[in-house]
Amino acid sequence: MPQPLERINDFVVKFANVNGSGSASANQLFAKAILRMGVPCTPRNIFPSNIQVLPTWYEMRISEAGYLGTRGGVDLMVAMNPQTWDQDVAGIEPGGYLFYDSSKPLPRSKFRDDINIIGVPLTEISNRTYSDPRQRQLFKNIMYVGALSAVLDLDVNEVERLIGEQFKGKDKLIAPNVQALHLGRDWALQNLECPIGLRVRRADKVGDRVFLEGNSAAALGCVYGGATVAAWYPITPSSSLAEAFASHCRRYRVDRDTGKNRAAIIQAEDELASIGIVIGAAWNGARAFTATSGPGISLMQEFLGLAYFAEIPAVVFDVQRSGPSTGMPTRTQQGDILCCAYASHGDTKHVLLLPEDPHECFEFGALAFDLADRLQTPIFVMLDLDIGMNERLCAPLAWDDARRYDRGKVMTYDDLEAGKDFGRYLDVDGDGIPYRTYPGTHPKRGSFFTRGTSRDRYARYTEEGHAYADNMQRLLKKFTTAKSLVPRPVRRAAKQPSRFGVLYYGSTSPAMAEALDGLEARGLPLDALRLRGFPFHDEVIDFVAAHDRVFVVEQNRDAQLRTLLLAEGGLDPAKLVAVLHYDGTPITARFILGRIADQLDPANVRPLRKVMS
């Protein structure tokens, strides 16, 4: 045996399964048991767009230090899929472990000399114990969780409790699952050296953090943000956001006295219809949203231009996936930044919110409706599959009950009755935002014609060039106003002065945290700035100006954030160095560290010295 890896509460486990085999619930059971032991872990499900038979992986980062991003490399591979055996074995770190079903012998050529082999005859045990083919498969999954609990020194009592919770209300299933768990565990304890060098030791590092998906958190943010209308068309990976909103509404949007629903949730015939419904509802004063992904954004372009030009609030959750076209529907990417920032034809600029985790998905999900009403324009909340469809640890969701919705500039009946001058596209405050009225506000005053064609400040149709230019310039002024309303960037200063910086956003954040620590340990300190919104705050441009070189880390091929920074910030292209990852898997800490270190090491980097006066 090679020298085995020895780590406590700091390693990567990856399960290789077949889609449709029932392995997902067993893998989740394993992850939650570790969390119950007080050890932070982050699972990521990598699955195909086809329903069954194709490979699926479930990768889990276990880190008492709290690194929640993908690290890169695998310390323990649980290889349950012969179809992907070779690539799964190749991904194991030297000294790492291969856990597999040893019911059938494999030739020596299928293994590596620099890894440790853990064989458990799962199929043999399962066939000996169960006669039903489906039971054999399902209980085999629970058996490997039991065996892993032995080799990793996992508290089996936590797994048993989770089984009890999972099958609450179906109590007859609890005992058979517990039996399967111990079949695997007992065999491992009797036949293997347990535990191995990788171990889970009880800690108290999870704290009060919650474990949930970004899509569900965003949907709850919609509820708290006052949304009453959702129109959507199913598309991976955004469908679960709309479904979660429907679930939340069954709890929070039902009138207690009458039992009637207080929300409209419409599955439209396509994405174009869904955004049309949202715009119509918002024009009438409702808070409305749609959830979609890149192909849906492409179909919505004309209506998004209408909402921008006619100044109608709308909220769009774009859960990004790999494109273009159908691309890889179940893989993650940050490929819609430019598409959403300038959605539709002509001169348009849209507000983007860039959450990093489920906590900010909730926070920004609610905030988006205030911004949409305040600015009278579409607001895009830019998630991606990695955030949206994977459970993550994050700070507890919080809401201030004293908070009131910001409905923006709405002229009331009393305002109109008092004779206030109402021009639907009249800027009276100098911030580019006009006043609007809700339909039916006043029987004689405050009405206006909503159109997608050019008009003057009083909504009267005109094709006069000066009126059109006046309106377009005001829209630009409104976009400048938005700069003060979107979430500010978050800065992480290096421990010593540095001439170099890095910009990043969204789901890149957890991997970046570990990469920055790794660069610091190599003597390559970087200042970091996490972007949370577009238009960019002045401090983003100032950050670039203050450094000799700034790396822009993003998950797409064409450096879309870098392009946006150059277009909007008037920056020197030579200063911005793209670090790009776009194979559909989440970006890893090792990838970021390696790409940046390769750029900095040859430059003979030295930290700045403080000058003492």
Side-chain angles (χ1 to χ4, degrees):
M1 282 289 203
Q3 181 64 34
L5 293 177
E6 294 189 3
R7 294 176 185 156
I8 297 174
N9 293 351
D10 182 21
F11 53 92
V12 175
V13 181
K14 190 172 185 178
F15 297 82
N17 300 104
V18 176
N19 208 32
S21 64
S23 59
S25 60
N27 297 342
Q28 289 171 355
L29 200 68
F30 178 79
K32 290 179 179 179
I34 293 171
L35 287 170
R36 290 286 180 89
M37 291 180 67
V39 181
C41 72
T42 306
R44 283 175 171 82
N45 194 15
I46 303 169
F47 58 98
S49 54
N50 294 48
I51 296 174
Q52 284 190 334
V53 180
L54 290 179
T56 183
W57 292 270
Y58 190 82
E59 183 172 329
M60 189 183 315
R61 179 66 188 285
I62 299 162
S63 171
E64 186 173 340
Y67 294 129
L68 302 179
T70 306
R71 185 198 70 188
V74 178
D75 301 315
L76 169 61
M77 173 64 73
V78 182
M80 295 290 114
N81 186 3
Q83 186 180 351
T84 61
W85 176 275
D86 290 342
Q87 71 181 86
D88 294 333
V89 171
I92 303 172
E93 298 280 286
Y97 301 82
L98 171 65
F99 179 106
Y100 79 109
D101 183 352
S102 61
S103 299
K104 292 183 179 180
L106 293 174
R108 185 176 180 82
S109 62
K110 302 298 287 184
F111 300 92
R112 282 169 45 192
D113 293 334
D114 62 342
I115 61 174
N116 301 276
I117 310 302
I118 304 171
V120 180
L122 296 166
T123 299
E124 181 183 313
I125 299 170
S126 183
N127 291 347
R128 190 169 61 234
T129 309
Y130 308 103
S131 57
D132 180 79
R134 184 60 176 163
Q135 278 191 335
R136 285 175 171 175
Q137 176 59 51
L138 293 176
F139 286 130
K140 185 170 74 171
N141 297 331
I142 301 299
M143 273 190 273
Y144 72 60
V145 173
L148 289 171
S149 74
V151 299
L152 296 175
D153 203 19
L154 192 66
D155 187 345
V156 72
N157 294 320
E158 296 290 4
V159 186
E160 290 180 0
R161 278 191 282 270
L162 284 164
I163 290 173
E165 293 172 14
Q166 181 175 329
F167 294 107
K168 187 177 181 180
K170 301 178 181 178
D171 293 356
K172 64 180 182 180
L173 297 177
I174 296 174
N177 277 276
V178 171
Q179 179 196 23
L181 178 76
H182 281 280
L183 280 172
R185 179 178 174 84
D186 292 346
W187 191 96
L189 289 171
Q190 293 166 14
N191 295 277
L192 301 173
E193 290 188 16
C194 298
I196 59 173
L198 305 178
R199 302 184 187 185
V200 180
R201 182 173 61 195
R202 189 171 290 278
D204 187 18
K205 298 297 183 179
V206 172
D208 63 352
R209 285 181 288 181
V210 294
F211 189 60
L212 77 166
E213 293 179 351
N215 280 353
S216 182
L220 192 59
C222 293
V223 173
Y224 276 79
T228 56
V229 176
W232 64 295
Y233 182 77
I235 181 172
T236 303
S238 71
S239 295
S240 61
L241 198 159
E243 291 162 355
F245 180 73
S247 177
H248 295 322
C249 283
R250 286 192 287 272
R251 182 175 181 182
Y252 297 113
R253 285 283 187 269
V254 177
D255 188 279
R256 293 181 181 178
D257 297 327
T258 65
K260 292 183 177 180
N261 292 326
R262 297 170 54 215
I265 302 167
I266 305 153
Q267 182 176 320
E269 62 267 32
D270 54 32
E271 288 90 349
L272 186 60
S274 67
I275 190 63
I277 292 167
V278 167
I279 292 169
W283 182 85
N284 275 282
R287 290 193 152 187
F289 76 93
T290 188
T292 189
S293 192
I297 296 294
S298 297
L299 291 171
M300 296 176 184
Q301 295 287 306
E302 187 173 359
F303 259 141
L304 289 168
L306 171 65
Y308 174 82
F309 197 55
E311 299 181 68
I312 302 170
V315 173
V316 179
F317 290 89
D318 180 7
V319 190
Q320 300 166 89
R321 70 188 205 187
S322 296
S325 188
T326 305
M328 295 190 291
T330 59
R331 297 292 187 263
T332 195
Q333 205 167 81
Q334 294 174 326
D336 298 345
I337 298 299
L338 286 176
C339 175
C340 291
Y342 301 126
S344 196
H345 56 279
D347 294 324
T348 55
K349 289 187 180 183
H350 297 292
V351 174
L352 311 181
L353 304 181
L354 310 170
E356 71 160 344
D357 64 5
H359 178 87
E360 286 193 344
C361 288
F362 171 78
E363 180 185 340
F364 292 3
L367 173 65
F369 294 94
D370 279 351
L371 291 178
D373 276 348
R374 165 57 59 185
L375 295 165
Q376 300 171 30
T377 197
I379 305 294
F380 292 82
V381 186
M382 308 297 292
L383 289 76
D384 58 34
L385 185 147
D386 187 29
I387 297 176
M389 292 192 70
N390 286 310
E391 292 175 305
R392 286 198 187 181
L393 276 180
C394 67
L397 309 185
W399 185 260
D400 182 359
D401 288 333
R403 176 173 169 178
R404 295 294 176 263
Y405 299 144
D406 183 353
R407 298 310 301 258
K409 297 182 179 181
V410 179
M411 200 164 281
T412 65
Y413 175 92
D414 291 337
D415 294 331
L416 295 167
E417 187 69 14
K420 282 193 175 181
D421 183 22
F422 174 68
R424 176 62 186 94
Y425 303 108
L426 181 65
D427 180 11
V428 298
D429 300 317
D431 58 4
I433 306 172
Y435 278 81
R436 60 176 174 146
T437 58
Y438 296 135
T441 297
H442 194 285
K444 296 180 180 179
R445 301 170 183 168
S447 61
F448 61 94
F449 195 82
T450 303
R451 60 171 77 242
T453 49
S454 183
R455 67 273 164 168
D456 67 12
R457 297 176 181 182
Y458 290 86
R460 297 174 298 213
Y461 170 68
T462 179
E463 294 188 12
E464 292 291 333
H466 69 86
Y468 170 80
D470 175 70
N471 191 59
M472 293 298 290
Q473 192 62 32
R474 181 184 54 76
L475 289 170
L476 195 59
K477 184 186 294 185
K478 181 168 70 170
F479 189 72
T480 301
T481 297
K483 186 189 299 186
S484 64
L485 301 176
V486 300
R488 305 189 76 85
V490 175
R491 178 166 181 149
R492 168 178 161 161
K495 293 180 180 178
Q496 51 187 309
S498 175
R499 296 182 286 118
F500 303 100
V502 60
L503 298 172
Y504 62 100
Y505 64 100
S507 64
T508 302
S509 181
M512 179 59 72
E514 183 173 4
L516 288 169
D517 284 349
L519 288 165
E520 193 102 43
R522 289 193 183 192
L524 302 172
L526 267 75
D527 294 321
L529 195 69
R530 178 169 66 87
L531 308 188
R532 301 200 298 163
F534 174 74
F536 303 124
H537 283 276
D538 291 340
E539 60 196 274
V540 176
I541 310 305
D542 294 341
F543 179 88
V544 176
H547 294 87
D548 293 351
R549 200 185 319 171
V550 175
F551 298 94
V552 184
V553 182
E554 48 187 319
Q555 299 180 64
N556 57 68
R557 184 196 70 180
D558 293 341
Q560 294 188 26
L561 177 62
R562 180 179 182 274
T563 300
L564 200 58
L565 286 161
L566 293 174
E568 299 293 329
L571 299 169
D572 178 4
K575 270 197 167 189
L576 298 179
V577 180
V579 176
L580 306 174
H581 181 276
Y582 50 89
D583 68 0
T585 62
I587 195 168
T588 69
R590 288 182 178 177
F591 176 88
I592 298 170
L593 190 153
R595 290 301 174 92
I596 293 178
D598 286 347
Q599 293 273 345
L600 293 184
D601 280 340
N604 193 25
V605 175
R606 293 289 182 270
L608 293 175
R609 292 184 178 180
K610 291 184 178 179
V611 178
M612 304 300 291
S613 58

